[in-house]
């Protein structure tokens, strides 16, 4: 028999009381899943808060790379995912494609000792491990500028994977030269060489959307995530990570209109009035939306029955080097 939403919530709460479990939910989750999270936040906050939480089981409601980061930083915990959902951007690069990218730099006359790789946290553990082995580190959209500033002190070329938009936006902010692998630029002339990955959700926003809102509501502010194309970021009033956007928007005066270029579920619950989604197409992250209350219930039931489903497992080598890449970021 199909349980109603209220019945599912009650059963989930019963399991949460009975089991040594913490439910972790990303800001982009559906409202009903987000509401049952014991720990909520952006991808970095979730990994950091879960590290200091002492439950044996973590039920992670988000996408694969985020659950992996939790497992890498807290290897002794059993981390399970109600839905094994993959971030489209993270799937654009694997270890082999990372190696091919390094080779492209080598072919352009840049040897490995002159390359410092940085991977956006939206990448799988295998790529993080490769980056760690080459002396590089992870960054998030909130600390990318700081990480790149530190990395540049080593006087090396930065290979930035997988998000070309974040890499180019940070380069533009810092007055650095950037290019995208395969765009025909002489790689040796760029400070930051970006892999050609992107987020399909954040590609939905256009300069036409910005012009539309500016014309419709003179004085409106435009706030976007740095996974948007550089042309969008340049035409906006504020560019920030998920947590930075939340702070910026919730601190605006009540009558200030703002149009926001990021994931729908987050924008929808941000601020009751004067907040618009910067797109005529609903910018929902399909994989973030896959997780339902039924999935959370099913996974808690599997823990209770002693056979947890969808447990994240990472081999020892990948675990070691991915942790080093993440720890280098956390140390900064
Ligand atoms: P955060 O790191 O801000 O949580 O965002 C991850 C993400 O997938 C953005 O699209
Ligand atoms: Fe990945 Fe984009 Fe979804 Fe974020 S919004 S999880 S980058 S596909």
């Amino acid at each position: 028999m199909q349980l109603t939403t209220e019945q599912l919530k009650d059963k989930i709460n019963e399991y949460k009381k009975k089991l040594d479990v913490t439910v972790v939910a990303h800001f982009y989750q559906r409202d009903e899943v987000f509401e049952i999270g014991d720990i909520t936040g952006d991808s970095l906050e979730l990994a950091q808060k879960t590290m200091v939480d002492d439950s044996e089981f973590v039920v992670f409601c988000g996408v694969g790379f985020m659950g992996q980061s939790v497992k890498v930083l807290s290897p002794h915990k059993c981390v399970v995912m109600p839905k094994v959902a993959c971030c489209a951007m993270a799937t654009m690069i694997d270890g082999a494609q990372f190696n091919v990218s390094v080779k492209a730099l080598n072919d352009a006359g840049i040897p490995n000792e002159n390359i410092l790789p940085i991977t956006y946290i939206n990448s799988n553990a295998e790529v993080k491990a490769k980056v760690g082995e080459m002396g590089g580190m992870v960054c998030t959209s909130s600390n990318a500028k700081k990480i790149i500033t530190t990395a540049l002190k080593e006087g090396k070329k930065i290979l930035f994977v997988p998000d070309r938009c974040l890499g180019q936006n940070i380069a533009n902010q810092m007055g650095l030269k950037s290019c995208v692998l395969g765009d025909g630029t002489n790689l040796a002339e760029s400070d930051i060489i970006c892999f050609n990955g992107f987020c399909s959700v954040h590609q939905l926003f256009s300069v036409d959307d910005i012009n539309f809102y500016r014309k419709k509501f003179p004085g409106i502010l435009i706030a976007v995530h740095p996974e948007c194309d550089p042309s969008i970021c340049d035409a906006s009033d504020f560019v920030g990570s998920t947590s930075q956007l939340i702070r910026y928007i919730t601190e605006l005066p009540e009558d200030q209109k703002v149009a926001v270029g990021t994931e729908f579920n987050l924008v929808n619950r941000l601020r009751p009035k004067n907040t618009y989604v910067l797109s005529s197409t609903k910018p929902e992250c399909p994989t973030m939306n896959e997780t339902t209350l039924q999935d959370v219930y099913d996974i808690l039931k599997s823990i209770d029955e002693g056979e947890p489903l969808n447990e994240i497992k990472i081999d020892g080598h990948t675990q070691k080097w991915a942790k080093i890449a993440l720890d280098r970021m956390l140390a900064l």
Side-chain angles (χ1 to χ4, degrees):
M1 195 189 67
Q2 190 88 16
L3 297 173
T4 64
T5 302
E6 287 316 309
Q7 285 170 326
L8 280 169
K9 281 186 190 165
D10 288 347
K11 297 245 174 230
I12 287 169
N13 283 328
E14 278 168 30
Y15 276 134
K16 287 204 321 186
K17 281 190 198 127
K18 181 178 175 195
L19 303 168
D20 185 15
V21 65
T22 298
V23 177
V24 176
H26 188 267
F27 284 128
Y28 290 1
Q29 290 291 294
R30 292 159 180 258
D31 286 348
E32 65 273 23
V33 174
F34 186 75
E35 281 159 18
I36 50 129
D38 303 304
I39 294 179
T40 56
D42 65 17
S43 59
L44 179 64
E45 288 166 351
L46 295 183
Q48 286 178 315
K49 289 181 190 169
T50 312
M51 261 167 86
V52 291
D53 175 79
D54 52 14
S55 299
E56 182 187 356
F57 293 95
V58 176
V59 171
F60 192 92
C61 307
V63 285
F65 77 84
M66 297 179 182
Q68 280 188 334
S69 296
V70 168
K71 179 70 186 173
V72 165
L73 291 170
S74 308
H76 54 286
K77 291 181 196 247
C78 175
V79 183
V80 293
M81 296 194 63
K83 256 291 157 47
V84 187
C86 293
C87 157
M89 182 199 290
T91 59
M92 288 178 186
I93 186 166
D94 60 14
Q97 285 157 312
F98 177 80
N99 290 345
V100 170
S101 308
V102 172
K103 176 141 187 329
L105 269 68
N106 297 157
D107 292 346
I110 310 167
N112 279 12
E113 53 274 24
N114 287 351
I115 302 172
L116 194 98
I118 295 179
T119 182
Y120 186 26
I121 195 161
N122 293 38
S123 55
N124 65 37
E126 184 196 12
V127 171
K128 290 190 179 79
K130 292 251 173 209
V131 166
E133 275 187 281
M134 270 187 79
M137 59 192 125
V138 177
C139 77
T140 68
S141 49
S142 40
N143 63 22
K145 196 169 166 188
K146 188 171 183 185
I147 299 283
I148 288 177
T149 306
T150 309
L152 284 171
K153 289 189 185 138
E154 294 198 25
K156 297 182 179 181
K157 296 276 179 207
I158 292 178
L159 170 60
F160 191 88
V161 304
D163 188 10
R164 64 168 188 239
C165 294
L166 180 61
Q168 288 177 297
N169 283 323
I170 300 293
N172 291 347
Q173 272 179 33
M174 295 176 68
L176 300 167
K177 276 191 170 177
S178 66
C179 70
V180 179
L181 274 172
D183 72 359
T185 308
N186 179 354
L187 303 186
E189 286 172 5
S190 295
D191 306 302
I192 303 183
I193 300 154
C194 306
F195 183 80
N196 194 9
F198 57 89
C199 164
S200 42
V201 180
H202 287 89
Q203 299 311 296
L204 288 174
F205 308 106
S206 70
V207 174
D208 283 347
D209 294 326
I210 297 180
N211 293 339
F212 168 82
Y213 272 109
R214 291 214 193 274
K215 197 163 167 214
K216 187 170 161 90
F217 300 122
I220 193 169
L221 295 172
I222 309 291
V224 301
H225 192 281
E227 287 175 13
C228 294
D229 189 82
S231 60
I232 310 297
C233 295
D234 289 350
S236 298
D237 300 294
F238 182 80
V239 181
S241 67
T242 305
S243 298
Q244 290 162 348
L245 281 171
I246 293 171
R247 210 172 313 124
Y248 176 78
I249 291 157
T250 52
E251 285 174 5
L252 288 173
E254 216 181 312
D255 57 353
Q256 173 64 56
K257 289 186 176 10
V258 64
V260 190
T262 194
E263 210 274 341
F264 177 81
N265 285 331
L266 168 71
V267 181
N268 197 35
R269 74 171 86 90
L270 255 183
R271 188 166 169 254
K273 276 202 232 148
N274 288 326
T275 305
Y276 302 85
V277 177
L278 182 70
S279 173
S280 47
T281 312
K282 201 175 177 186
E284 270 179 329
C285 175
T287 46
M288 281 283 186
N289 266 278
E290 278 181 32
T291 307
T292 62
L293 277 184
Q294 179 72 47
D295 297 324
V296 179
Y297 167 73
D298 289 343
I299 204 114
L300 287 166
K301 188 162 174 278
S302 76
I303 294 172
D304 190 40
E305 288 167 354
E307 290 190 18
L309 292 168
N310 301 345
E311 184 179 352
I312 296 182
K313 297 229 161 97
I314 299 175
D315 70 79
H317 179 86
T318 306
Q319 157 74 38
K320 174 185 159 186
W321 286 104
K323 183 163 185 333
I324 288 173
L326 277 160
D327 282 345
R328 284 189 184 124
M329 169 183 77
L330 295 175
L332 290 173

